[in-house]
């Protein structure tokens, strides 16, 4: 018997819920639904879905409250799908542990790709102790060799510094997910580092000069303006 990944859709708009169900079931997912925050949290704790698609504007509470509550005990993938487009809302959700943030309206292919990536990422973290990354990340001409601590572009060593390598390997570990500036700074320079995007921008500019043919039109590391950075999905 084929075991399907179960997706919980938390959305109060009936027509949007039906759209999600049609698309997801057509792509072989088991779909369950909730239209309030209280119902959603009850289903998360009882059903343990593989992915949660979470709208923020729920009738009984803000979806951010659900995100905070779940992150106190679980790392299950949570993809926020919201009509809120302000950078502040994206940063808050991502900093609180959302795996992704998609703004409405969105494309079906994009949604399905984000779901696949969220599932792939959480399962990859189970493969090594404490989520340690080993092996090879490969996308197009870029290779991150986690065992050798090297990044190669079209077979040639990119000659990254230690901090530059740590930045690229961190993005590779969360491939396809936008990492906020604050998260990256604390991961690379420590929790006591003042949130100063300037040092991060300087390092990223140096990295792009080494790995991108045209830094102004990157193929590998993308900027989510006002939010953070994202590396391309692996092959």
């Amino acid at each position: 018997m084929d075991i399907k990944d179960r997706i919980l859709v938390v959305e109060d708009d009936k027509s949007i819920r039906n759209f999600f169900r049609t698309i997801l079931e057509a792509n072989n997912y088991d779909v369950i639904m909730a239209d309030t925050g209280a119902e959603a949290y009850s289903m998360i704790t009882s059903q343990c879905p593989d992915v949660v698609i979470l709208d923020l504007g729920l009738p009984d509470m803000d979806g951010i409250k659900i995100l905070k509550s779940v992150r106190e005990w679980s790392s299950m993938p949570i993809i926020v799908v919201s009509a809120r487009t302000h950078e502040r809302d994206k940063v808050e959700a991502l900093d609180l542990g959302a795996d992704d943030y998609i703004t409405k309206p969105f494309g079906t292919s994009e949604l399905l790709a984000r779901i696949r990536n969220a599932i792939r990422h959480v399962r990859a973290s189970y493969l090594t102790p404490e989520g340690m990354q080993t092996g090879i990340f490969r996308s197009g001409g870029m290779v991150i060799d986690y065992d050798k601590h090297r990044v190669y572009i079209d077979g040639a060593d990119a000659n990254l510094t230690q901090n530059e390598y740590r930045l690229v390997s961190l993005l590779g570990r969360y491939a396809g997910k936008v990492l906020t500036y604050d998260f990256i700074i604390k991961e690379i320079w420590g929790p006591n580092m003042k949130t100063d995007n300037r040092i991060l921008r300087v390092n990223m500019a140096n990295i792009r000069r080494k790995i991108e043919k045209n830094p102004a039109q990157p193929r590998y590391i993308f900027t989510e303006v006002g939010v953070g950075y994202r590396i391309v999905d692996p092959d």
Side-chain angles (χ1 to χ4, degrees), residues 19 32 47 53 76-77 80 93-94 96 104 121 150 167 216 229:
F19 168 78
I32 54 177
Q47 302 279 343
I53 294 176
M76 71 173 57
V80 171
L94 291 166
L96 288 172
K104 300 175 182 176
H121 173 251
R150 291 285 186 273
L167 270 167
Y229 296 104

Side-chain angles (χ1 to χ4, degrees), residues 18-36:
N18 290 338
F19 168 78
F20 275 121
R21 182 184 292 281
T22 300
I23 295 301
L24 296 175
E25 289 184 345
N27 283 271
N28 206 35
Y29 291 107
D30 179 21
V31 183
I32 54 177
M33 299 281 188
D35 57 10
T36 67

Side-chain angles (χ1 to χ4, degrees), residues 123-137:
R123 288 177 182 168
S125 69
Y126 299 151
L127 299 179
T128 54
E130 299 176 357
M132 291 175 59
Q133 191 80 38
T134 61
I136 298 291
F137 171 99

Side-chain angles (χ1 to χ4, degrees), residues 92-233:
E92 181 183 22
L94 291 166
D95 273 343
L96 288 172
D99 292 82
D100 214 333
Y101 193 110
I102 305 174
T103 54
K104 300 175 182 176
F106 53 86
T108 299
S109 297
E110 177 189 11
L111 172 68
L112 294 171
R114 301 289 182 98
I115 291 171
R116 290 193 299 270
N117 183 70
I119 293 173
R120 183 167 59 241
H121 173 251
V122 76
R123 288 177 182 168
S125 69
Y126 299 151
L127 299 179
T128 54
E130 299 176 357
M132 291 175 59
Q133 191 80 38
T134 61
I136 298 291
F137 171 99
R138 189 186 307 275
S139 183
M142 181 175 68
V143 171
I144 305 173
D145 189 323
Y146 290 101
D147 299 318
K148 294 181 179 179
H149 288 212
R150 291 285 186 273
V151 174
Y152 300 93
I153 301 296
D154 298 325
D157 193 327
N159 293 314
L160 301 186
T161 67
Q162 182 178 354
N163 262 355
E164 289 166 359
Y165 169 77
R166 291 175 66 201
L167 270 167
V168 175
S169 65
L170 177 67
L171 288 166
R173 182 179 173 186
Y174 294 90
K177 176 180 176 179
V178 177
L179 302 186
T180 65
Y181 300 127
D182 188 53
F183 176 82
I184 295 172
I185 289 169
K186 286 180 167 54
E187 286 291 310
I188 302 299
W189 287 281
N192 296 322
M193 177 69 177
K194 182 176 67 173
T195 302
D196 181 0
N197 293 350
R198 182 174 54 185
I199 188 172
L200 180 55
R201 288 197 303 269
V202 168
N203 275 267
M204 192 57 68
N206 290 335
I207 289 168
R208 281 182 166 147
R209 279 195 293 269
K210 295 177 180 181
I211 71 170
E212 303 283 4
K213 288 183 178 179
N214 182 357
Q217 296 181 322
R219 294 184 300 161
Y220 300 121
I221 298 177
F222 306 100
T223 301
E224 183 80 18
V225 178
V227 180
Y229 296 104
R230 171 179 61 84
I231 202 168
V232 68
D233 284 330

